Amino acid sequence: MVRKYSIKELLNKGTLFINKKVLVEGWIRSFRYSIFIILNDGSTIKNIQIILPKKLDKRIIKKITIGSSIRVIGIVKKSIGTKQYIELQSLDITIYESVDSKIIQKSILQPKKHSLKKLREQAHLRFRTNIFGCIMRIRHNIAFCIHKYFHENGFFYLHTPIITTSNCEGTGKMFQITTMDLKKEPIDYEKDFFKCKTYLSVSGQLEAESASLGLGKVYTFGPVFRAENSNTSRHLSEFWMIEPEIAFYHLEENINLAETFLKFIIRYIIENSMEDLVFLNQCLDNKGNQKKKNFLLEKLELILKFSFKKISYTEVIKLLDQEEKKKNIKFLHPIIWGMDLQSEHEQYLVDKYFKIPVIVFDYPCNIKAFYMRMNNDGKTVRAMDILFPGIGEILGGSQREERYDILLQRMKDTNTDKNKLWWYLDTRRFGSVPHSGFGLGFDRLVQFITGMNNIRDVIPFPRTPNNAEF
Ligand code: ATP
Ligand code: MN
């Protein structure tokens, strides 16, 4: 029996395999002079070169086409070429499926530059492309190190329900789910599967809070769904969210956790995904960023280099107002205390003014959710958003309102149904404590780290308004 290796294993341990017999499998990226096959198996951005014997049957050679899947048993040799240290001298080749070259020409597997949009239209094939392969391997590493961070820091992974009856934030449209035939009037939700109206969850936070008030430190990492019609390059209808929730945590501790956590992830990716990052960096450099070489790598290093700027919402408003007057700039949305920060304001703060990530805290209560802790001024809540260069809000969190009476009042003020959320309110009667947490959009983080302009290019099968194909 000949042992099977991934191309990554072979190339990484190169010298150890010289003159050994090995088995590899993969898809053909190119085929030259009827003897050189360039093979990739997805384990790495790198390919292995296979050298076929000179006198190979013509009928087999005909079947060796781009995209075809093959198995090769061969001897590892030191490569004469400079590109790679080793190559594989084929002794036996099996073709699983030979691809018709006419089909290939219409597909994104044809080795030439394709637009990211075209890749999206063939989402089922794009795992085979260099760029999407890089993104998916990095996406995996990000997910992995998120679990690693929490595990090593005493957090418990909590599975919160996907089917829910409440709209956590009170904002944003939800997808309703039902087993009823909606054509048949009248609609009586008493007869629906759960005997009430149910939705796909927009967040696991409220459940995570109650878990934290028993387990101490928990986090969720799962899919959430939003039916809002925001057809932007930063919004998906189905995306993945990470929500840690920590008992006995004040806002300052929450902010520190968020910063440490984000830096941990970025450092982990720099340490573990460099090959893929370098490839993406090259793609970006070729796309008009020539003036700024190593755009992506420098952007990531910038996150690690400095402490994030911490500034209150009220100070932000003052600053933007002063800038408008001093520098003669005009924002589309006028600067008034109480407004929500728009993308233009976030961009100005992060990309033009501070030039590092910014944490804005203590927002007006009127633009934030009911569960955020009221400050003594009666006007602001202990909320915080982290704004990242080029992408804006990447993470949003708060210290939660732990005082029963104030929470109840806030629910009334914001028209939050306290009957549905009786259990949430109830946690404030059984040993309530200060606690905090945040929500980090996983896909938006992947988007930032990979430098992709469109969030649809960092998730395998994006769900967006008018699009649920694949
Ligand atoms: P935004 O203003 O960008 O729409 P939000 O205020 O609605 O964000 P939150 O409800 O605080 O966001 O959700 C927490 C995090 O989830 C955000 O910081 C962001 O990273 C991410 N996020 C929010 N909406 C989406 C979406 N539609 N697609 C992908 N990620 C999202
Ligand atoms: Mn939103």
Side-chain angles (χ1 to χ4, degrees):
M1 268 286 280
V2 189
R3 235 195 95 177
K4 189 197 282 198
Y5 292 95
S6 72
I7 291 174
K8 181 179 175 179
E9 276 175 290
L10 278 184
L11 295 179
N12 279 357
K13 297 179 193 159
T15 40
L16 300 178
F17 287 105
I18 301 284
N19 293 329
K20 294 229 164 78
K21 199 190 223 183
V22 299
L23 187 159
V24 292
E25 291 160 316
W27 295 272
I28 296 173
R29 284 290 176 87
S30 76
F31 184 40
R32 292 174 299 139
Y33 311 120
S34 302
I35 49 171
F36 299 116
I37 293 177
I38 302 296
L39 197 71
N40 186 278
D41 66 357
S43 61
T44 158
I45 178 78
K46 288 185 184 153
N47 306 315
I48 194 161
Q49 173 158 277
I50 313 244
I51 322 284
L52 295 178
K54 288 228 167 69
K55 284 191 193 108
L56 201 63
D57 192 325
K58 280 243 166 58
R59 277 169 304 181
I60 292 182
I61 291 203
K62 258 188 126 173
K63 286 186 175 170
I64 301 177
T65 54
I66 289 168
S68 298
S69 44
I70 61 169
R71 183 185 90 143
V72 179
I73 292 171
I75 308 283
V76 177
K77 292 282 178 194
K78 235 172 152 163
S79 179
I80 311 161
T82 49
K83 260 197 167 171
Q84 222 101 91
Y85 190 69
I86 57 161
E87 59 193 22
L88 193 63
Q89 207 106 51
S90 165
L91 299 173
D92 179 65
I93 177 167
T94 310
I95 294 164
Y96 289 117
E97 198 217 0
S98 171
V99 179
D100 181 344
S101 1
K102 273 183 245 129
I103 305 178
I104 279 288
Q105 277 166 23
K106 284 187 201 134
S107 82
I108 55 169
L109 300 184
Q110 173 77 358
K112 63 164 202 180
K113 270 239 167 331
H114 303 282
S115 70
L116 290 165
K117 182 169 173 286
K118 193 164 175 198
L119 260 51
R120 249 171 265 147
E121 286 159 6
Q122 297 178 33
H124 60 304
L125 297 178
R126 66 179 173 165
F127 298 96
R128 287 266 200 101
T129 62
N130 277 330
I131 191 159
F132 202 66
C134 284
I135 295 166
M136 286 299 107
R137 285 186 292 269
I138 292 175
R139 187 179 165 105
H140 162 81
N141 273 350
I142 299 174
F144 176 78
C145 78
I146 285 169
H147 286 298
K148 178 176 155 73
Y149 179 88
F150 285 132
H151 178 72
E152 288 172 357
N153 287 280
F155 286 72
F156 301 108
Y157 182 24
L158 183 75
H159 297 103
T160 48
I162 287 171
I163 298 172
T164 177
T165 54
S166 69
N167 180 348
C168 163
E169 311 264 337
T171 56
K173 287 227 178 70
M174 300 176 88
F175 292 100
Q176 194 189 331
I177 51 170
T178 178
T179 51
M180 287 198 303
D181 185 349
L182 295 178
K183 276 178 297 207
K184 281 188 195 146
E185 299 278 343
I187 297 162
D188 178 6
Y189 289 108
E190 277 287 311
K191 295 203 181 95
D192 205 351
F193 192 88
F194 295 106
K195 252 179 165 270
C196 62
K197 227 172 159 178
T198 48
Y199 309 88
L200 292 177
S201 179
V202 295
S203 160
Q205 183 199 311
L206 303 187
E207 288 91 348
E209 274 189 55
S210 63
S212 80
L213 297 175
L215 289 165
K217 292 167 150 189
V218 300
Y219 71 104
T220 73
F221 188 169
V224 294
F225 308 84
R226 296 191 184 177
E228 51 194 15
N229 208 346
S230 41
N231 216 339
T232 78
S233 57
R234 298 180 303 126
H235 289 90
L236 293 163
S237 310
E238 172 183 297
F239 64 99
W240 287 69
M241 187 124 94
I242 300 126
E243 297 179 284
E245 194 66 42
I246 314 96
F248 309 105
Y249 246 44
H250 293 275
L251 188 71
E252 290 72 21
E253 296 168 289
N254 195 28
I255 286 175
N256 287 340
L257 170 71
E259 179 171 351
T260 310
F261 175 60
L262 286 168
K263 285 179 169 167
F264 173 88
I265 296 168
I266 289 172
R267 189 170 297 113
Y268 185 90
I269 295 306
I270 289 176
E271 284 168 5
N272 292 277
S273 290
M274 198 35 105
E275 270 177 12
D276 289 323
L277 280 179
V278 165
F279 181 86
L280 294 175
N281 190 52
Q282 267 168 10
C283 296
L284 286 173
D285 278 352
N286 294 339
K287 257 214 248 126
N289 285 314
Q290 273 104 339
K291 266 189 229 145
K292 232 179 151 207
K293 277 263 169 239
N294 290 324
F295 175 75
L296 182 60
L297 298 174
E298 279 177 13
K299 187 181 82 169
L300 296 180
E301 279 158 19
L302 185 73
I303 303 291
L304 299 182
K305 226 173 181 169
F306 304 101
S307 260
F308 297 177
K309 173 70 192 174
K310 286 126 194 142
I311 179 169
S312 76
Y313 169 89
T314 303
E315 284 173 88
V316 166
I317 294 295
K318 250 189 241 159
L319 189 151
L320 291 175
D321 188 45
Q322 277 167 11
E323 285 295 291
E324 219 175 22
K325 290 188 180 122
K326 213 164 64 191
K327 305 227 171 99
N328 219 2
I329 31 171
K330 196 98 204 107
F331 295 110
L332 289 173
H333 305 80
I335 310 296
I336 306 163
W337 196 96
M339 65 162 196
D340 208 353
L341 296 181
Q342 305 295 325
S343 294
E344 54 168 345
H345 309 129
E346 296 181 350
Q347 271 167 19
Y348 189 85
L349 270 186
V350 182
D351 298 327
K352 293 231 172 69
Y353 196 85
F354 290 115
K355 299 195 165 79
I356 53 170
V358 177
I359 307 186
V360 183
F361 59 90
D362 285 350
Y363 281 81
C365 61
N366 292 338
I367 55 168
K368 288 291 181 187
F370 72 92
Y371 50 71
M372 299 190 178
R373 192 178 199 277
M374 189 57 92
N375 279 314
N376 290 336
D377 61 12
K379 289 190 306 193
T380 58
V381 287
R382 302 245 75 190
M384 63 103 168
D385 280 356
I386 301 191
L387 314 177
F388 258 26
I391 199 159
E393 181 189 331
I394 194 152
L395 176 160
S398 66
Q399 183 172 332
R400 320 306 190 189
E401 185 55 77
E402 84 281 15
R403 299 161 295 185
Y404 184 92
D405 295 336
I406 299 176
L407 182 60
L408 185 62
Q409 190 56 48
R410 282 285 288 156
M411 288 173 94
K412 281 185 188 149
D413 294 346
T414 54
N415 286 326
T416 307
D417 188 349
K418 70 175 196 309
N419 295 326
K420 260 191 206 155
L421 286 180
W422 67 270
W423 57 272
Y424 181 72
L425 205 51
D426 212 32
T427 57
R428 271 63 173 170
R429 301 195 305 139
F430 290 88
S432 189
V433 300
H435 60 289
S436 301
F438 59 79
L440 168 63
F442 178 66
D443 312 270
R444 217 175 270 179
L445 177 67
V446 180
Q447 191 186 359
F448 176 78
I449 292 177
T450 56
M452 290 293 109
N453 281 325
N454 198 321
I455 199 165
R456 294 167 177 82
D457 296 325
V458 304
I459 185 163
F461 300 105
R463 287 344 184 196
T464 50
N466 305 320
N467 173 42
E469 210 180 355
F470 304 104

